[in-house]
Amino acid sequence: MKDILILGIETSCDETAASIVKNGCGILSNVINSQINIHQQFGGVVPEIASRKHIENIAMVVDNAFKEAGLSYQDIDGVAVTNQPGLIGALLVGLSFAKGFAWALDRPLLAVNHLHGHIYANILEHQDISFPAVCLVVSGGHTSLLHMKDIDSYAVIGETRDDAAGEAFDKVARFLGLGYPGGPAIQKAAALGKAGKVKLPRVYLDKNDFEFSFSGLKTAAMNLWKKMKGNEELAVFDLAAEFQQALVEVLVEKSLKAAKIYQVDSILMAGGVAANQHLRLLMKEKAGQENIKVFCPSLPLCTDNAAMIAGIAYHQYITKSYAPLDLNAYPGLLSL
Amino acid sequence: MLILAVDSSTPVAGAALVDEDRVIIESFINYKKTHSETLLPTINRILRECDCSITDIDVLAVTAGPGSFTGLRIGMAAVKGISMAADKPVVAVSTLDTLAGNIAGSDALVCTLLDARKNEVYCGFYEVSGTCPERIKGPMVCTPETFLSIAVELAAYKHQEKIILLGDGYYRYSEYFDIELKDKLLPVPGHLMLPRAAAAGVLAVHKARQGEFEDVYHLRPLYIRLSEAEYRLGKGAV
Ligand SMILES: [Zn+2]
C-alpha cells in the first residue's frame, strides 16, 4: 500500500508548528517555532502578540517542515490543522493558511481537536498500547481524566472544577517570582527544595470521583508565601517542592483510582504538564506497584507540536473524514 | 496578467479576478458570516465560475491593512498558503489605497477612513485626479476630530472645495461629519463606500508591473497599532 503523508499545522497557542508524518506514526519532520521568549516579558501568553508572530512565521515553519523531511509540497496527501480549542486569533492563522495550502494543492483538509492531538502523541511513539486505558490530560488549559475504549473513542470521567493544573503552576510561579512558564520554573525550584518542610493540602474533593480542584491549593500556597516572605531565604524552594508534590500526588492518585475502577492496565498521560518530571516518576512508581503500565510522550511531544496533529489526522484521511472549506475555528472545547 | 485579489480587512469579505484593467468576476460579502468561513469557499467559487484553476492565475493580491487585526491575518494567511502551494507571487495593497481606488477623476480631497474602535479611525488622504489614487498623507490612526481637522486643512491648502469620505469609519461617525462639513461633503453612492477586491486587483496590476512583489516568508499586515499589552509595557508607536 502507498504511504500516506500528512502535513500537520498547529497554531493554537504560542507555538507555530508544522510536521510531516507518514502513515500516522512515522515522524519525518517536526518543526516548532516557540514564542516563549517574547511572552515571558508579559508574564503569560498575549493572544494578539501570539497571532502576530504566527502570521510572520507560518510560511517559513511549513517550508522548513518540508525541507527537514526532504519532500516537496506535491508529495503530501492531506493537510491537517488544529481548529479547536485555543486562542481564536491564533487558531485562525493556522486554519486559514492550511485552507489556502490544501486548496491550492487540491488535497483534502483535515480538522483536528488539539486535545485529541495531545492524547495521540502517545500512539505516535508507542504502537503497543493496549486499550481500554485511562488517560490523564494535563495542560495549561485542561485537567481531565478520560476512559479510552480505543484510540478514537473516549469518555470524560473527570475534570477540574476551577484552575487547570498548568494554570495553577503558572499562577503560583508568578506569585513566588519564579518566572514564566510556571511548570518548568516550579520544577526547577522544587529540585532545590524539599517537599514536606512546609505543609500544603492535598485536595481530593470526593475521594470516589475523578473531579479535580486546584484553586484551593493555589490560594494556600500563596497565603503561606505571604506569611513566610522575608523570614527564610531558601523557603521558596521548599514551598515550590511542596506545591508540586501536593498537585502531583492528587493527579497520580486519581489516575490510579480510575485505572482500578475501570479495570484497565494502561495509563496514558498527555499535555504540557505531562512533561513534569516529578509527575512522570511518581506515576510510574505508583502504577508499577499495581502492575499498571504508564505511557507518556517524550518531552518534545508533550508540549504543543504538529506531529501529533498530522499523526491523528492520518486516521481521518483513511476514513475520508475531510473538513469543508468553510471550516471555522473555535476557542472553547466543544467536545473532548 | 490574471490577478486573484483577496480582501478581508474590514467586515467585508471580497475576492475578485482581474485581467489587466478588466474585472472578470467579483464577490463582495458584507454579511454576518465570519471571513474564516466565507473566504476560501468564495475564492473557490469565483474561479470555478470562470472555468479557471489556480494554475491559470499569474499573481495573488491581498489587502495588507490597516483594518481588523484578525481579518487581515485570515486573508494574508490564506494567500500565503496559496502562494506557496501554487508557486505564485504576491502583491500587497494598502486597504486605504484600495478604498481610494473606488474614486477616479475627481477634484475633491478623497479621505479613506476605517473604524479602528476606541473612538479612532485608520485613515489616509488622497488626490485622485486620474485613475490611480495618490496618497498625500497617512496611513495613520487618530480620533475622528483630528481626522476631520487634517482633512479640512489639506483641502484648504490644495484648494479643493469638496471632500469625499469613504469607508466604514464614515458610517460610524456620519452624524458628526455631516454636521461639521455640511455642503463641503461630497456624498458617494453606497457601492463605492467600502473596499472592493476588484479595486485591490486593479491597484495590484500596477504594482506587479513595477515588480513590487512581497516575500511571503516575511510578509505581515500593516497594523499601525501595537497590541494592548505592548502599549501597557510602555512601548512607543510601531
Ligand atoms: Zn496543548
Side-chain angles (χ1 to χ4, degrees), chain A residues 41-42 46 48-49 51-52 55-56 59-60 63 73 92-93 96-97 99-101 103 105 325-328, chain B residues 34 36-37 40-41 43-44 69-70 73-74 77-78 80-82 84-85 216-217 220 223 225 227 229 233:
Chain A
Q41 57 182 318
F42 302 100
V46 180
E48 174 60 21
I49 294 175
S51 303
R52 289 185 180 200
I55 188 74
E56 272 177 59
M60 192 74 95
D63 192 54
Y73 302 157
L92 284 169
V93 174
S96 303
F97 182 94
K99 280 187 190 180
F101 198 79
W103 174 78
L105 281 176
L325 274 185
D326 66 355
L327 179 71
N328 210 345
Chain B
T34 66
S36 166
E37 291 166 289
L40 250 298
I43 293 171
N44 189 43
F69 298 164
T70 299
R73 286 189 288 259
I74 289 173
K80 284 189 179 196
I82 297 170
M84 273 173 70
V216 292
Y217 292 135
R220 50 185 172 182
Y223 299 108
R225 275 187 188 148
S227 68
L233 263 199

